[in-house]
Structures are given as structure tokens and as C-alpha cells.
Amino acid sequence: MMDHLVTLDGGLPYKPIVLGFMWTIYVWEQYLAYRQYRLLRDPTLGVPKSLKAEVTDEDHQKAKAYGVDKALFGFVTSAFTQIQNTLLIVLDALPSLWAISGDLLVKAGLLGERDILRSVLFVLIMVLGMTVLQIPFSLYSTFVIEERHGFNKQTIALFLSDLLKELLLTVVLLSPLIAGLLSVIQWGGDQFFYYVWIFMLVFQIVMVIIYPTLIQPLFNTFKPLEEGALRQKIEKLAKSVNFPLAKIFVIDGSKRSSHSNAYFFGFFKQKRIVLYDTLLEHSNHEEICAVLAHELGHWKKSHIYKMLGVSQFQIFVMFYLFSHFIKSKPLYEAFGFSDTPIIVGLILFSFLYQPADSLMSFVGNVLSRKHEFEADAFAKKLGHTATLVSALIKLNTKNRGNLNPDKLYSAWHYSHPPLVERLAAIAPLKKTD
């Protein structure tokens, strides 16, 4: 059904093009990371004037030290990943992995045309292999950096338990996703990208539903927030904006980290609010309500649906462009393949798509920061200006956030505006409250 798809052969040197894209993006992002690192190491950059009354120099120095450690670690992990991916391409490792996946099926007695099963096995081998290679870095991040700065609460046993669960979930979730995706592409013919778009939308919605109800409970315990003043204030806040609150939970985030958070989930009239126990430990009731008022702003402004729409647009564009490469023999041959398996084509196309993906990630961050400002404004309109300011400063201090981020780095990478920018946006409205 797919023999008539237009291909963009043209005899292009695909492998050098892909390596060029990879290294250009890598150099760009390392340049940004170095700009950030340089500011973190600058001894002349103290607490911003607007925060001198709220943030001590001691807390600021701790935040800078945390940032330096993460930046240095980031240089190492980025270099490792870049070298790994380069070798994967230069040494034609993908054809070898494809051959291994076929051999394993033969040894298992699964003969004949089993492209989808082989594709699933191929992806799992690749993903699980890369996951194993990242384990030493995860251990160092958790038990050295996070431990050094007082955030880590995990034990080795809990770390290994989480890792095992994550690997099992990868197999359980990724297998049907790959099988379903390839089935839709094969069935969809020349216009498969329309059907893939619908398939991915359904998959995303399913994940939004099952993650908080089935997946996260495998890692954390949810307990109903006990009756009392805080619960009454949250219920009153939700009612004031017609938020269909069904339940309020407290999650035991402290068993892994002292970082804190709050969020809501659920569709229609079954919304649930989740508070990290660490947030309850260092915030008063008014500050917690201010944080939740911000979160309710995301709901009121339909930010989740807007971001879902952006995500779907990106998916549609990617698969539409992929439809022009799916049968491009020169693309496959450039990376050592003699046949044209769909899953391999998708992976190879993703290499070519890197610049667009990087740019769309930036656009997504710009939109996310815009949403954060809007959610702040919503919370302020509800009368939470002073407590929102207090909560933001406290969260940033407790999480050791960077008070002086590089403007270019934060513009490219941050999904939330820097604290100083958020407080500057609050100030004009603060005068009129």
C-alpha cells in the first residue's frame, strides 16, 4: 500500500549530514552550558537587589555550589552521550542490533515475516542498553551530587527497586506503542501520518489517565489530606473558581528527595490535587494555597490542552515529513541497511529531524514560560500576591534555584521564568491589590 510514497533520495550524504547536525547542536548547547557555568563561578554575582531582604548570602552560595556541581556533571554526561551516539552511527551499530534482533527471534523458534515483533525487540534492546549505560551516571547524580547538597533521601535498595520497575514499565508500555505505531503505518498507506496522529493522541490521553492512577502509585504512596484547616482552605479556593475538586492527596516525595512540588490531575469532574509532603513541611497554609492558586491558573487558562495541541502539531509535522523518507533507500543504505524496515527508517529520520526538534523544544519552552506568567497573574487576581511571592522565594531557596541564570541559557532551556523575572512581573499588580 505504501509503494507510491514520494521519496527524497537525491543521493544526499546522509551520514555526514546527521553527524553535522548532531555536533552543531551539541556545540551550541555546550556553549550555552558554559555561559551558565561561568556565571555560577563568578564571585562578584551576589543576591539580586530585589531579593536581598529575603535570601541570605549563605543560601545563595549554597545554590551556586549546587549549580556548579550540576553543570560540571552535565558536561560529562553530555560528552558521554554525544560520543556514544556518534559511535553508534560511525560504526554502523544499528544494522548490527537489527541483525541481533532477528537472530534472537530465530533462536526462539519465531521464523517467517515478523517485522513488527523484530522491530519491538530491536527498540527494546537499544533502549534498555542505553538505560544500563546511564546507570553509573544516575548513581553519581543521586548518591554524590544530590547527597552532597542535602536532597537525596533514597537508599541503594530503593534506587535499584525503582530501576527495576522502570525497566519493566519500559517493556510493558513501549512494546504495544511500537507494535501499534507500526501497525497503523502499515495499514494507513500513503496517508499514514493522519492515522498515526490520531493514534498518538489517543496514546497520550491514555498515558495522562493511567500515569497518576496506575504508574505513579508503583513508586509513591498517596494518602488523603487529613481533615483540618488546610483542607478547608483548599476546598474553599477550588470552589471559588469552580474547580471540580474530587480528592486531595499527600504524596511521600520525601522518601526520595527533599525537593517539593504540587500538581493536579484528572479529567472532567474528577480532578485531584496532589501535595508533596515536603511542601507541607516548609510552607504555611497561605503559601500552599498560593501555589495551588497558580496551578488552578493553568487549569483555568487551559494550558494543558494548549500544550497538548502544540505536541500534536509537532507529531503531525514530524510524521508528515517522515512519509517522504520512509522508502528512501539511499537513507537506509547510508547507515548500513540493505532493506527498509519502518522502525529503522523512523529512527534514521529522527536523526535528520534533530534541528527542527531542537527548535520546537525552544518554542515549547517559550510558550511554557508564557503560561507560567499567566498562572501567576491568575493567582494574584485571587488575592494571593504576597503569599505567592513568599512561596516562590521559599521554593526557589529550598530547591537551591539559580538566582542569576544566563539570559541566553535560560531563554533556550528554562520551562519556567527565572525567579527575578517572575517577581518583577508580580510587582505592578502587587501595588494595586
Side-chain angles (χ1 to χ4, degrees):
M1 294 178 66
M2 304 177 65
D3 295 335
H4 303 298
L5 283 173
V6 177
T7 60
L8 300 177
D9 294 356
L12 293 174
Y14 285 112
K15 186 178 287 187
I17 289 174
V18 164
L19 290 172
F21 285 163
M22 285 177 54
W23 280 93
T24 299
I25 294 171
Y26 173 74
V27 170
W28 165 246
E29 295 195 342
Q30 293 312 294
Y31 165 69
L32 295 178
Y34 175 73
R35 287 173 59 102
Q36 179 87 323
Y37 172 74
R38 185 181 59 186
L39 289 184
L40 287 166
R41 294 300 299 265
D42 188 345
T44 66
L45 282 179
V47 179
K49 291 181 180 179
S50 60
L51 291 170
K52 283 188 176 295
E54 291 84 8
V55 180
T56 66
D57 185 64
E58 180 183 1
D59 284 334
H60 180 54
Q61 293 304 320
K62 288 180 179 178
K64 290 178 71 174
Y66 182 49
V68 166
D69 280 354
K70 289 198 300 180
L72 291 173
F73 181 68
F75 289 134
V76 174
T77 56
S78 296
F80 177 85
T81 301
Q82 183 69 7
I83 293 171
Q84 169 192 285
N85 292 340
T86 299
L87 292 177
L88 193 71
I89 293 172
V90 172
L91 300 179
D92 287 335
L94 290 177
S96 299
L97 291 177
W98 182 250
I100 290 172
S101 63
D103 292 341
L104 289 175
L105 291 181
V106 171
K107 291 179 180 179
L110 300 172
L111 306 176
E113 293 293 328
R114 298 181 181 274
D115 284 349
I116 291 181
L117 184 58
R118 184 178 183 180
S119 296
V120 170
L121 185 57
F122 169 70
V123 172
L124 290 178
I125 291 173
M126 188 164 58
V127 171
L128 295 178
M130 290 181 175
T131 300
V132 171
L133 289 175
Q134 289 297 318
I135 290 176
F137 298 104
S138 297
L139 285 168
Y140 186 87
S141 175
T142 301
F143 294 102
V144 177
I145 295 179
E146 296 295 302
E147 184 81 29
R148 178 185 299 157
H149 295 278
F151 290 119
N152 178 51
K153 304 298 179 183
Q154 285 195 78
T155 62
I156 289 291
L158 181 58
F159 178 90
L160 295 176
S161 173
D162 284 351
L163 178 62
L164 179 60
K165 291 176 184 177
E166 289 166 3
L167 291 174
L168 291 174
L169 283 171
T170 298
V171 175
V172 170
L173 296 176
L174 194 57
S175 297
L177 172 62
I178 298 299
L181 178 63
L182 296 179
S183 297
V184 171
I185 291 175
Q186 290 179 348
W187 172 82
D190 292 2
Q191 307 296 314
F192 73 84
F193 44 88
Y194 289 112
Y195 306 106
V196 167
W197 179 38
I198 296 172
F199 172 79
M200 293 303 295
L201 174 61
V202 172
F203 181 80
Q204 282 186 305
I205 292 174
V206 170
M207 288 302 300
V208 168
I209 294 172
I210 70 172
Y211 177 78
T213 56
L214 297 178
I215 297 177
Q216 193 167 13
L218 296 174
F219 298 89
N220 294 97
T221 300
F222 290 77
K223 293 182 178 179
L225 178 65
E226 61 185 24
E227 295 292 339
L230 177 58
R231 186 181 187 91
Q232 292 172 2
K233 290 177 181 178
I234 294 174
E235 290 173 343
K236 182 180 178 181
L237 172 63
K239 187 176 181 180
S240 70
V241 295
N242 298 316
F243 181 75
L245 177 61
K247 295 179 181 179
I248 307 172
F249 293 108
V250 177
I251 188 174
D252 59 340
S254 60
K255 76 176 184 179
R256 289 182 178 81
S257 172
S258 59
H259 291 295
S260 55
N261 197 7
Y263 63 92
F264 71 87
F265 67 92
F267 285 100
F268 308 114
K269 295 186 177 181
Q270 291 298 314
K271 305 289 187 184
R272 295 164 172 81
I273 286 177
V274 177
L275 306 171
Y276 276 56
D277 55 359
T278 48
L279 180 65
L280 300 181
E281 289 173 6
H282 63 66
S283 300
N284 60 44
H285 290 183
E286 287 69 28
E287 289 169 339
I288 292 171
C289 286
V291 170
L292 291 178
H294 169 92
E295 294 302 320
L296 292 177
H298 287 307
W299 164 75
K300 198 70 172 180
K301 299 291 184 178
S302 301
H303 290 160
I304 293 176
Y305 296 109
K306 290 176 181 177
M307 294 303 287
L308 179 62
V310 171
S311 171
Q312 287 303 305
F313 172 75
Q314 293 174 339
I315 289 172
F316 179 82
V317 170
M318 187 186 76
F319 279 99
Y320 170 75
L321 293 176
F322 173 53
S323 72
H324 295 286
F325 288 86
I326 191 170
K327 288 297 181 181
S328 175
K329 273 190 163 295
L331 175 62
Y332 292 84
E333 291 171 352
F335 292 89
F337 288 89
S338 57
D339 51 354
T340 58
I342 294 173
I343 192 63
V344 169
L346 182 57
I347 292 172
L348 298 182
F349 173 74
S350 71
F351 294 159
L352 288 173
Y353 193 72
Q354 288 176 98
D357 187 55
S358 185
L359 181 60
M360 291 305 295
S361 177
F362 165 67
V363 172
N365 284 336
V366 171
L367 183 58
S368 176
R369 291 195 296 269
K370 178 177 180 292
H371 289 169
E372 292 302 318
F373 282 125
E374 291 176 352
D376 283 347
F378 181 82
K380 288 176 281 188
K381 287 181 180 178
L382 294 180
H384 294 276
T385 299
T387 48
L388 179 62
V389 168
S390 173
L392 289 175
I393 293 173
K394 189 174 290 187
L395 283 169
N396 193 84
T397 302
K398 294 294 183 181
N399 291 322
R400 297 192 179 171
N402 186 0
L403 294 178
N404 298 297
D406 176 73
K407 291 186 180 298
L408 199 54
Y409 180 91
S410 61
W412 186 262
H413 284 295
Y414 280 20
S415 61
H416 286 58
L419 178 63
V420 173
E421 291 183 18
R422 293 182 75 172
L423 298 184
I426 289 173
L429 291 179
K430 184 178 181 181
K431 295 177 183 178
T432 61
D433 279 356

